[in-house]
Amino acid sequence: MVMSDMGRSTHDLGMDLRHKQPIGPQEHGTRQSGAENVLATARRPLDDARAQLREAVEYLQYDESVYDMLAVARRELSVSIPLRRDDGRVEVLTGHRVQHNLSRGPGKGGLRYSPDVGIDEVRALAIWMTWKCALLDVPFGGAKGGITIDPRSYSHAELERVTRRYTSEVSPFIGPDIDIMAPDIGTDERTMAWMLDTYSVGRGNTVLGIVTGKPVTLGGSLGRAMATSRGVAYIAMLALAQRSIRVERASAAVQGFGKVGRGAARILHDAGVTVVGVSDADGAIFRQSGIDIPKLEEHVDMTGSVVGFSGAEPLPGQHELLTLDVDMLVPAAVEAVLTEENAAQVRAKVVVEGANGPTTSAADRILQEKGCLVVPDILANAGGVVVSYFEWVQANQAYWWTVDEVESRLDARMQFAWNRVWELVESSGISLRSAAMALAVRSVAEAHRVRGLYP
Ligand code: GLU
């Protein structure tokens, strides 16, 4: 598909998608739409998410109104969560749920527990969910939730109370056909079980489709726990092949050893990749001849961190991990770790974004100029939401698939999305991120066009 075809096919919307006058780079740099004015103090991930949208809208030669429509969320809800601590004190926490886009189906996206999470970060993450679902042809819109809390400082019982109160506060706003949550940083299948229970008790019947990433005993899908990691590793192999790097000769560094990074490191290791560096929030480790990932997993299960693993040397910090001399870097932790300060020193030939938004727009430009192949988050880490979709389908039908069915369908979708993106990269010469964004934005804009603007 070529650029002009993509632009042409979207004219004449109910929401006006007609081509605008092309705007020059200077104007691009200075112009502020209504959305940008309202949130002039936006944090970096939201700025990056909007910059990516801006570029896609320009590439597709859409009208400015498309940007204005997609730069802001359709709906947002912020709630106070009064929590009775175990010692009897009452503390009031804040939570959010942002539904960025609902044109292609119900909202879909994780719920994050983090001391740093605020409304702007949730907005950015919801925007990225919209593109992820569109690119993978998953029939959902993008949404995200967050509670400003450090889950490590709260007991199991306190986390249960927080989760249940948040769920009941947002329950008029969610539903299996409205907005479906899933785990993200700081939450897990236990969190999803509490959410399912709270929502279901309120309704008077068990609603299996209200969350995904729940325990298998409670309607969760086989293969969901490893789905994001599996998708990251699948795409990583395709990226290595694209750069003619043989898997058994490839070296990798994985930043983050949580739900995504740990599984990805394990699958890459099992496939023959030499994983030389790994990090988590507490520190980084290195071994030139390759870290024994299964042994490292045992160490992490015992101690809670990669730090102190006897089969590797400590690295001074994240910077050293991110700039290791490796074929492939997998940032699989949080946003904005590859920045204009460190991107020039990144030596990896391939970056596969396991996290959401790990590369700032400035770093993205630097990496591209260096010839580094950056596989964007909305493609690389979409395996989680793909299997969330499978879980939702299974739960709604109360008909369960085997793990082989789940995994082969996941692989097929990842391959399909990679092919779509790569086809556009080849025909247009744009980056993988620009191509993925163009396809995703086009698909969402098309949904708006055929539905029309109503009321
Ligand atoms: N939190 C995951 C993500 O960022 C999964 C979302 C989902 O499965 O709904 O993609």
Side-chain angles (χ1 to χ4, degrees), residues 235-268:
I235 291 290
M237 304 295 184
L238 294 175
L240 287 176
Q242 207 291 321
R243 281 291 188 255
S244 306
I245 302 169
R246 296 213 337 247
V247 169
E248 57 285 1
R249 294 258 181 111
S251 58
V254 179
Q255 190 239 358
F257 207 66
K259 280 195 283 282
V260 180
R262 175 176 170 160
R266 176 65 184 263
I267 299 169
L268 291 171

Side-chain angles (χ1 to χ4, degrees), residues 97 107-112 125 128-129 132-133 140-141 143-144 180-185 187 211-213 224 228 259-260 354-356 377 381-389 391:
R97 185 70 183 171
K108 185 81 192 82
L111 171 64
R112 177 171 293 196
L125 293 162
W128 287 321
M129 285 308 303
K132 217 183 282 189
C133 293
F140 297 132
K144 203 80 173 196
I180 306 128
M181 304 230 197
D184 197 83
I185 292 172
T187 56
V211 289
T212 59
R224 174 63 184 86
T228 312
K259 280 195 283 282
V260 180
N356 293 311
D377 45 8
N381 74 29
V385 78
V386 168
V387 178
S388 275
Y389 164 47
E391 179 174 328

